[in-house]
Amino acid sequence: MNKLLRFKSLFFILITLCLVVVWEVLLGKPSVSQTLPQAQAQIAGPEINGTLFLKQQDDGSVRIWGQIQGNPQILTPGLHGLHIHSAGVCEPDASPAFSSAGGHYDPGPYGNETPVENNHPYHLGDLPNLVVNDVGYAVYNVVTSRISLGKSPVSVFDENGSAIIVHRFPDQQKAGGTGTETGGPRLACGVVTSL
Ligand SMILES: [Cu+2]
C-alpha cells in the first residue's frame, strides 16, 4: 500500500469517528439505560374493568397507579385486597376463578407463595387495599420497593410472568390470618405486560 492510500484510509476512519461523536453528543441520542421500565395490567372480571400502570422510579421503587370500576353490587364500596400474584395467567373460568394466577408473588430461596396465609403480609407481591367508592369506582396510587420491572431477582417479569388480582374482601394485612382475611375470592385479574 502506498503512503497516499494509507493516509486516505486513516483520514476516512477519523472522519467517520468524528461524525459518530457529533451524532451522539449534539443530537442527544438517548441511550437505552436512561429509559425506566414501564408496564400495565388491564384489569378484567365479571362486571369489573380498569387499567393499572406500573413505572420503575429513579430510586428503584415501582409506582402503581390507575383506575378500576365495576358494578357496585360486585365491586362493593370499601376495601378490596389487591396483590401481585405469581403467574401471568388470568382465567375467569378457572375453579376457583383466577386461581391459575397462583399465590402471592414471592420469589427467592425462602419464598412462600402458597398457601397464601403462610407468609402473609410479607410476600413481595403484597400491596395496600383498593379503596372503592359508593358507585364502584376506585383510584389506586401506591409505591412499593418490594418489586422491580427491570432485570432483578425481584422482577415481576420472571419465567411465568405476574398478574394483579382484586379480591372480594379487604386484606387485613395480618400475619397468620385466614384466606378470607387476605382477601378471599378473586373478582378480577390483569396480566402485567411490558410497555
Ligand atoms: Cu391476591
Side-chain angles (χ1 to χ4, degrees), residues 81-85 104 165 167 182 186:
L82 189 152
H83 319 110
I84 296 169
H85 282 245
H104 295 190
I165 297 268
H167 291 265
T182 66
R186 303 173 180 191

Side-chain angles (χ1 to χ4, degrees), residues 59-117:
D59 64 4
S61 63
V62 173
R63 182 173 164 234
I64 304 174
W65 77 100
Q67 291 151 29
I68 297 173
Q69 52 273 316
N71 180 341
Q73 305 285 327
I74 298 168
L75 191 63
T76 51
L79 303 181
H80 290 262
L82 189 152
H83 319 110
I84 296 169
H85 282 245
S86 64
V89 185
C90 289
E91 295 176 327
D93 298 330
S95 182
F98 302 118
S99 53
S100 31
H104 295 190
Y105 177 62
D106 200 30
Y110 304 105
N112 205 341
E113 296 181 341
T114 51
V116 161
E117 306 86 278

